Amino acid sequence: MNTNNSNINPHKTFPESASQHSPQIQEVVAVIFPFLPDAPAEEHPFRLNDIVKTGNQYGTVTSLKKTEKPVTITWDASSGEDSFSWTYNLDEIRALKISIVPQFIPQKTAGELPTCTTIVLANSEQVQLGNATPFKVESLSEHHILISTLDQLYRFPLNLFPGYPTSCTIDIPAPQQLKDTRCLSVNELRIRAKTYLALEVTDNFLKFVIPVQKQQLKEKIAQQLSEENYEILDFDIAWEEAWMQQLENLAKKQGFYGFREGDCILQHREGFQRMGKVQRLNVEEPRPFQILWNSGEIQCYSLRELKILGIARIEPIVKLSPNVAYQISEDGSYFTAWIGFRTKALAKAWLIPVKKLVGYLSNLIDCQFLELQHTGSKYEYAVECPRHKTLNKRLEALAKVAELDLERTPFKR
């Protein structure tokens, strides 16, 4: 896309405009071949290999996935830099004003219809074109495209058009004009800053984030941009946005001091107990750990406050066997376990032997919904009052239960 006033990728020259011979326009109502791809998803207009732009930056859509950030764009290389790829969510696409570059420009775009293209005209006549047929775009409206081949004019509905561009003539300013007038936009500066941080920031960066490091990194990228034209205010805005996004991405990916967004949290101190969830990690804030308690209250804490107030992360569920699972808090103050059974009869048969090993059990829980299950079994007991006081002894007792064949009725002497 770095071109002068010439043809872009000219595979074919423009065909002689059929409009000079004033042929009758053939209205196309259907395309039998080639088979047309599905329309883009409603949430964004992109297809794979679409050419897109934001400001003066051009790129190509290289991946579309059903993820949090579905669109991957590979941006073209600029002077002194390599091309690079970045993924975007739909909000970022709108905010960055990333749009598709028009493929068909009247009187300037040439293209081809695929070999054996077969169309149906308004008079019900079917036309099959043999070899790949070159065409020129004559006009373009919101819903139709008019093309000229060597001897015909065809008007296609845009959503049925099977042709693809092969070359396009564009007019761009002279190199000296570009050099004198070009000023990096906020979007371009944001892209530069994101790329720079992605390369510079290490995996353990969050452990050492301090204002001095932020300023040093900012000065380094400013030095790299010393020969570019841009507004200082635009640079500051782009840098702050890229910096915050980098920290948020690292916090979601790696966590912060062992905590991740979505982690279950327990506060257990002097007989007081409550549970919650890490809602957000604001890495640069004095109190970076934002917790949503089950009561609906939202509070922020420093790492020191978490320790003083007895707030700890609850570890993920550990399965000792298909029928036995447990969960503990990071500091060991919280412990719960579940013993699961396939049927009510088995659960009742094993109640006394299991109770002797682990302690007081809850009433049998009928886990009809997956979100209620911990072991994967339909029926579960929860260990409400463990027999042993120390964690090691509790885990030893659970391990003994895990060795039992809870899928069969216990042996009676």
Side-chain angles (χ1 to χ4, degrees):
M1 276 173 258
N2 299 321
T3 59
N4 294 319
N5 186 1
S6 61
N7 284 348
I8 302 178
N9 299 328
H11 302 296
K12 298 281 186 180
T13 57
F14 283 150
E16 187 71 20
S17 176
S19 60
Q20 296 178 2
H21 307 293
S22 301
Q24 182 180 359
I25 295 176
Q26 304 291 329
E27 296 286 347
V28 178
V29 297
V31 175
I32 298 176
F33 183 84
F35 304 111
L36 300 177
D38 294 333
E42 292 182 3
E43 61 265 22
H44 62 76
F46 301 133
R47 284 192 173 100
L48 207 59
N49 300 320
D50 274 348
I51 297 172
V52 296
K53 70 172 183 176
T54 176
N56 294 324
Q57 190 80 29
Y58 287 79
T60 304
V61 177
T62 51
S63 177
L64 293 172
K65 298 180 179 179
K66 293 183 178 180
T67 60
E68 183 181 353
K69 293 193 172 186
V71 182
T72 300
I73 297 174
T74 299
W75 296 101
D76 287 356
S78 55
S79 178
E81 294 184 357
D82 296 328
S83 61
F84 63 95
S85 297
W86 204 268
T87 56
Y88 299 90
N89 60 37
L90 306 183
D91 289 336
E92 289 171 334
I93 288 171
R94 286 187 286 268
L96 297 174
K97 297 181 180 178
I98 298 174
S99 60
I100 297 176
V101 176
Q103 291 185 326
F104 303 110
I105 304 174
Q107 305 301 320
K108 292 187 176 183
T109 299
E112 284 186 353
L113 295 170
T115 302
C116 296
T117 294
T118 305
I119 58 178
V120 179
L121 303 180
N123 61 6
S124 299
E125 179 185 355
Q126 290 189 13
V127 177
Q128 184 180 64
L129 305 175
N131 298 326
T133 304
F135 67 82
K136 177 182 177 180
V137 178
E138 296 292 338
S139 66
L140 192 67
S141 68
E142 183 179 356
H143 300 293
H144 291 84
I145 182 171
L146 179 65
I147 65 168
S148 59
T149 63
L150 293 174
D151 56 357
Q152 291 289 345
L153 281 171
Y154 293 104
R155 193 196 324 267
F156 284 81
L158 270 178
N159 62 337
L160 296 180
F161 188 56
Y164 55 90
T166 55
S167 63
C168 181
T169 300
I170 61 173
D171 300 312
I172 62 174
Q176 188 59 43
Q177 290 177 294
L178 287 174
K179 184 176 180 181
D180 293 341
T181 61
R182 187 173 188 276
C183 187
L184 294 177
S185 66
V186 174
N187 292 337
E188 291 173 301
L189 289 167
R190 187 186 291 108
I191 292 170
R192 299 282 188 94
K194 285 181 179 180
T195 307
Y196 169 77
L197 288 171
L199 296 173
E200 288 290 324
V201 168
T202 58
D203 289 341
N204 62 347
F205 183 74
L206 291 183
K207 293 182 179 180
F208 312 103
V209 174
I210 54 176
V212 173
Q213 284 186 306
K214 179 181 179 181
Q215 185 60 31
Q216 288 175 343
L217 290 169
K218 185 177 181 181
E219 290 173 358
K220 284 183 181 180
I221 188 174
Q223 188 175 4
Q224 290 184 8
L225 297 172
S226 59
E227 296 184 3
E228 301 278 8
N229 294 323
Y230 59 86
E231 297 291 336
I232 297 298
L233 179 59
D234 290 346
F235 173 71
D236 288 339
I237 293 172
W239 168 257
E240 288 299 326
E241 290 183 7
W243 173 260
M244 289 304 299
Q245 185 174 349
Q246 182 69 24
L247 295 187
E248 288 176 4
N249 290 343
L250 282 175
K252 288 180 180 179
K253 180 181 177 182
Q254 302 172 6
F256 190 49
Y257 288 100
F259 292 87
R260 294 177 182 269
E261 291 183 6
D263 278 353
C264 291
I265 296 296
L266 171 76
Q267 182 177 15
H268 186 84
R269 181 169 174 262
E270 297 176 356
F272 174 77
Q273 181 171 302
R274 61 174 173 170
M275 300 185 71
K277 184 173 291 188
V278 177
Q279 188 177 49
R280 191 174 179 187
L281 297 171
N282 302 305
V283 175
E284 287 193 295
E285 297 294 328
R287 291 183 170 89
F289 304 95
Q290 186 180 97
I291 296 177
L292 171 63
W293 296 106
N294 288 353
S295 63
E297 184 181 9
I298 298 176
Q299 291 180 310
C300 295
Y301 302 88
S302 67
L303 185 63
R304 183 170 180 270
E305 287 171 336
L306 292 180
K307 294 179 179 179
I308 291 174
L309 296 173
I311 299 173
R313 182 172 63 91
I314 298 178
E315 302 283 359
I317 292 176
V318 178
K319 293 191 70 173
L320 296 178
S321 75
N323 302 84
V324 180
Y326 72 91
Q327 190 174 36
I328 60 175
S329 62
E330 195 172 17
D331 61 359
S333 61
Y334 169 81
F335 170 87
T336 188
W338 302 270
I339 295 93
F341 298 90
R342 178 168 44 84
T343 66
K344 283 185 179 180
L346 283 171
K348 292 179 179 179
W350 279 103
L351 174 60
I352 294 176
V354 169
K355 187 176 179 180
K356 287 180 179 179
L357 287 172
V358 300
Y360 185 78
L361 300 176
S362 70
N363 293 326
L364 187 62
I365 303 168
D366 188 346
C367 306
Q368 294 289 343
F369 303 101
L370 290 176
E371 55 267 24
L372 298 177
Q373 297 178 1
H374 303 89
T375 63
S377 301
K378 187 176 179 181
Y379 300 96
E380 291 179 347
Y381 290 117
V383 180
E384 289 192 343
C385 185
R387 181 183 183 87
H388 304 284
K389 293 183 179 181
T390 65
L391 180 60
N392 286 339
K393 289 292 185 179
R394 292 174 182 178
L395 294 179
E396 286 178 11
L398 274 181
K400 292 178 181 179
V401 176
E403 293 175 357
L404 301 173
D405 187 356
L406 301 180
E407 294 298 314
R408 296 183 180 182
T409 303
F411 175 75
K412 294 182 181 180
R413 293 184 179 180

